[in-house]
Amino acid sequence: MSVGMPALDQGVLARRDEIVAALRRIVPGEGVIATEREMRPYESDGLTAYRQLPLVVVLPGTTAQVSQVLRWCFENGVKVVPRGAGTSLSGGALPLGDGVLLGMGKFNKVRRIDFADRVAVVEPGVTNLAITRAVEHAGFYYAPDPSSQIACTIGGNIAENSGGVHCLKYGLTTNNVLGCELVLITGDVVRLGGGHLDAGGYDLLGVVTGSEGLLGVVTEVTVRILQKPETARALLLGFETPEAAGDCVGKIIAAGIIPGGMEMMDRLATAAVEEFVHAGYPLDVEAILIVELDGPRAECDHLVETVSAIARDCGAVTVRVSASEEERLLFWAGRKAAFPAVGRISPDYYCMDGTIPRARLPYVLQRTRELSEQYGLRCANVFHAGDGNLHPLILYDANDADQLARAEAFGADILRLCVEVGGVLTGEHGVGVEKRDLMPSMFSQIDLAHQQRLKCAFDQKGLLNPGKVFPVLSTCAELGRMHVSAGRLPFPDIPRF
């Protein structure tokens, strides 16, 4: 790995056989994987540029087993990295060579559906799309829909606070999760929220959502399900410049219209997707927008006319409205296949995830093109235009070390640009290891220290997913007395990646 991680604990490595045996007593049968060949599929997540074999893989099947595994690791000072489906694009599930990889794949059941209260109770290994499949027969669905929804799990969605193409109108994971069962590193099992609208006291559910496996392990989730809208229609808009498309996004929102989804792709991404999916995208434009409008039929008809007029005023040279449900789904099938489509035109790609104010879209797209020329690497832009969540795909060849280094530097510059224009480092993929070392570009040392103090309240020994999110390793005792003055940090011997 080229990314810095905590030094391996030689004492833990020396006790590997003992650790494996103890875990097999807790999770018998095939629940523990300890051979190099069998652990190889777990060496990375979706950020395949970084790989590391874990010390051992454990696959519990019950909350009690998760509790016992975590308690044993806590009492014996062994690190734990939780893992869902491994689709994370930020290295959030990257294993540690001296840590237990806790795979939650066996937690794959829908436990209860309550249509009257509009909630579903599911296990964390249930895929995002499977929730919708379980309720669609009654006219319901689960709103957050990441492009990886066929594979990513609701537990991983909570860890990263995932969004998707419809989060502009219906919110991210945090807006659609009502409660969860959480196992702490001590083995204690707590419940946060529930099937009700809101819970009293501190919003710990909001803290856990997006915490990237640093605070606990989710073993049950209560999600909000929604009734499908009466009508949904999609517009396919083509523009001669990406800047014109970005300008159109801002003007649609400024008109008081909140589409169900509003996605953008540039010429390179559009060509790759059209060759892959044959969705009927125009190939003679520099950027396309897909705008979905939903609600009562009369409202949809009015909004379609309004958005079409706004698009033409912004210079749209293609304006197509879906004529059927099949055509609407085809428009979206192309967008949701963008990542695999781009994978067909490059050996590797590096997917970024910054978020910016919508008004800065034209400027950021222009600067991204300039950075592409500077680094000599192609970049396909695919993103959630409505909420400014960018997903530039930097194309490179991982077999060329120089290209990988340039891709990482290019990506870092894009994220710094996002912060520079008033945005943030991540929208839905999380910090993980990918953006960890860029955190000081957005947060001060005091900010980061207070965030780590929050982690200490859940994980006083720092055993859950260490080396992720925070660029400086600190123990809770050190944070308890840390004072930053004139930019000088105490404990200069602590590793700073």
Side-chain angles (χ1 to χ4, degrees), residues 320 340 387 397 466:
R320 283 178 53 196
D387 59 350
D397 185 348

Side-chain angles (χ1 to χ4, degrees), residues 54-353:
L55 179 73
V56 60
V57 177
V58 182
L59 306 174
T62 66
T63 299
Q65 287 180 341
V66 173
S67 173
Q68 292 174 52
V69 168
L70 292 181
R71 180 179 293 113
W72 190 94
C73 290
F74 175 75
E75 293 173 348
N76 291 272
V78 179
K79 301 163 189 169
V80 180
V81 176
R83 177 188 172 102
T87 58
S88 167
L89 293 170
S90 63
L94 180 69
L96 298 171
D98 58 350
V100 172
L101 188 75
L102 189 70
M104 299 297 290
K106 290 185 178 180
F107 284 77
N108 57 6
K109 298 179 181 61
V110 175
R111 293 184 176 177
R112 182 171 63 87
I113 298 172
D114 188 331
F115 291 113
D117 284 343
R118 300 191 178 190
V119 300
V121 180
V122 302
E123 294 179 347
V126 172
T127 63
N128 176 287
L129 185 59
I131 299 176
T132 291
R133 292 285 183 259
V135 300
E136 63 185 358
H137 67 279
F140 285 78
Y141 72 111
Y142 177 63
D145 55 344
S147 296
S148 59
Q149 67 180 149
I150 192 172
C152 67
T153 61
I154 188 63
N157 290 175
I158 289 178
E160 307 292 2
N161 191 20
S162 304
V165 299
H166 289 95
C167 69
L168 172 62
K169 185 173 184 177
Y170 296 104
L172 300 160
T173 299
T174 190
N175 306 111
N176 291 275
V177 169
L178 298 173
C180 73
E181 179 181 76
L182 183 75
V183 184
L184 305 179
I185 187 64
T186 57
D188 293 335
V189 181
V190 298
R191 282 193 171 273
L192 307 175
H196 39 77
L197 180 61
D198 200 1
Y202 292 122
D203 182 16
L204 295 180
L205 181 62
V207 170
V208 168
T209 305
S211 61
E212 303 195 34
L214 272 68
L215 305 183
V217 178
V218 173
T219 51
E220 182 184 278
V221 186
T222 302
V223 301
R224 184 196 319 274
I225 55 175
L226 302 177
Q227 277 193 304
K228 290 184 178 179
E230 175 188 326
T231 305
R233 299 172 71 185
L235 285 84
L236 180 62
L237 310 173
F239 296 85
E240 293 182 333
T241 67
E243 289 79 10
D247 185 46
C248 183
V249 170
K251 289 184 176 178
I252 290 172
I253 300 296
I257 300 170
I258 305 298
M262 185 153 50
E263 300 289 301
M264 181 172 168
M265 292 190 291
D266 67 7
R267 188 185 191 105
L268 179 58
T270 301
V273 168
E274 180 60 22
E275 184 179 346
F276 184 45
V277 178
H278 307 296
Y281 293 161
L283 299 178
D284 58 347
V285 296
E286 292 299 320
I288 66 168
L289 275 180
I290 303 173
V291 183
E292 181 164 292
L293 303 162
D294 59 19
R297 183 175 299 279
E299 179 184 0
C300 276
D301 290 344
H302 170 69
L303 291 179
V304 164
E305 293 178 4
T306 304
V307 170
S308 298
I310 292 172
R312 290 190 178 96
D313 287 344
C314 291
V317 293
T318 298
V319 178
R320 283 178 53 196
V321 181
S322 59
S324 65
E325 178 66 3
E326 291 72 25
E327 187 174 27
R328 182 186 75 86
L329 293 175
L330 186 59
F331 286 174
W332 284 119
R335 166 58 185 90
K336 293 200 171 188
F339 288 8
V342 170
R344 300 172 77 227
I345 64 173
S346 175
D348 302 277
Y349 64 80
Y350 191 17
C351 178
M352 308 309 298
D353 171 51

